[in-house]
Amino acid sequence: MAERGASGFRKDTVDRLLRLHFRDGRTRVNADAQLLMAEFLKVFVREAASRAARQAQAEDLRNVETEQLEKVLPQLLLDF
Amino acid sequence: QRLKAAVHYTVGCLCGEVEEEKDVQFSKQIIAAISDITFRHCEIFAKDLEMFARHAKRTTITTEDVKLLARRSNSLLKHITKMSEELASSNMEQKEKKKKKSSTAKAERTPGEQESAVTENEDSNMA
């Protein structure tokens, strides 16, 4: 398995997160799909963080606050 | 809610990586905000995935459903598709090994996600 020393979501966290919201009790997630979803969520978080960081840099700030997040959030949600 | 805490922890780690990469500092509030948004969005993702599976008359969510979820951004879709192919091919390898052990020929299952890989760009971060 490619271990780049990068963090990410644990497989069973992802599984439980999703199962929280299933309407049908029989719905499950296959193992590969769990891994893909973990990756998906990781990208989601990194996008949110990176975009907010870029926004802060555009405003010449080194500290990224919720203000920057608010500005990038709409587009983020549209892109996902 | 240990699940929320788990999400928060991972979000914190990922933000830490971005901090290093971009030389910025994330405030506690923003980490909490991203974590909260991620947690709440899982509901939308979960329901979509469930509906895709149900539409395909399945009760198990597969990689095909995840790919459908990733459809809105081309680079995201490519990234996810590429990863699913890697998973599929490593699964195939494991199956090959098992086949060699049991020398009976079992029926072959070709996973549906064996599409020919498109030329992959490095911009999986939608830069």
Side-chain angles (χ1 to χ4, degrees):
Chain A
M1 291 239 263
E3 208 65 73
R4 295 167 303 171
S7 40
F9 284 93
R10 296 222 318 262
K11 206 163 88 129
D12 48 82
T13 307
V14 173
D15 191 51
R16 273 183 282 155
L17 270 171
L18 295 176
R19 280 199 282 162
L20 210 53
H21 302 294
F22 289 153
R23 289 183 358 180
D24 186 347
R26 294 168 300 165
T27 307
R28 340 210 99 82
V29 190
N30 110 17
D32 284 351
Q34 284 175 4
L35 292 170
L36 281 191
M37 272 316 288
E39 186 66 20
F40 183 96
L41 288 175
K42 176 171 134 186
V43 173
F44 181 82
V45 173
R46 285 193 59 117
E47 268 309 300
S50 302
R51 291 186 192 191
R54 253 178 277 152
Q55 181 64 36
Q57 286 172 331
E59 295 175 18
D60 264 326
L61 302 165
R62 278 201 66 201
N63 291 337
V64 194
E65 306 277 343
T66 47
E67 280 181 65
Q68 280 73 42
L69 184 62
E70 283 168 24
K71 293 183 182 162
V72 302
L73 201 50
Q75 190 60 50
L76 178 75
L77 298 181
L78 284 172
D79 287 339
F80 270 85
Chain B
Q1 285 278 23
R2 265 186 327 160
L3 213 41
K4 281 197 192 169
V7 172
H8 188 86
Y9 172 73
T10 307
V11 170
C13 291
L14 290 170
C15 285
E17 285 173 19
V18 178
E19 276 182 339
E20 285 181 23
E21 290 165 20
K22 295 209 139 79
D23 193 28
V24 288
Q25 276 268 310
F26 286 97
S27 70
K28 290 214 166 106
Q29 294 89 340
I30 199 181
I31 296 184
I34 296 180
S35 165
D36 188 52
I37 291 168
T38 306
F39 186 86
R40 283 191 277 137
H41 252 263
C42 280
E43 175 166 2
I44 298 176
F45 296 149
K47 293 201 164 138
D48 281 359
L49 288 170
E50 185 177 32
M51 279 199 279
F52 297 156
R54 177 188 244 133
H55 182 69
K57 302 202 174 41
R58 288 184 265 107
T59 51
T60 302
I61 290 166
T62 66
T63 53
E64 288 306 302
D65 302 318
V66 180
K67 279 193 253 176
L68 203 49
L69 194 66
R71 69 198 178 284
R72 290 211 174 88
S73 143
N74 274 335
S75 49
L76 178 64
L77 183 56
K78 270 194 241 172
H79 179 73
I80 294 287
T81 305
K82 175 171 148 207
M83 188 170 170
S84 89
E85 284 163 18
E86 290 169 6
L87 286 174
S89 66
S90 85
N91 283 347
M92 290 283 265
E93 286 176 17
Q94 290 190 346
K95 288 203 178 117
E96 292 300 305
K97 287 185 193 163
K98 283 188 186 169
K99 265 198 221 172
K100 286 186 180 152
K101 281 188 181 174
S102 71
S103 47
T104 37
K106 293 209 177 118
E108 247 148 277
R109 283 198 308 147
T110 12
E113 45 257 18
Q114 285 281 0
E115 309 150 4
S116 48
V118 191
T119 43
E120 46 236 42
N121 309 343
E122 277 310 315
D123 57 333
S124 56
N125 253 358
M126 296 189 267

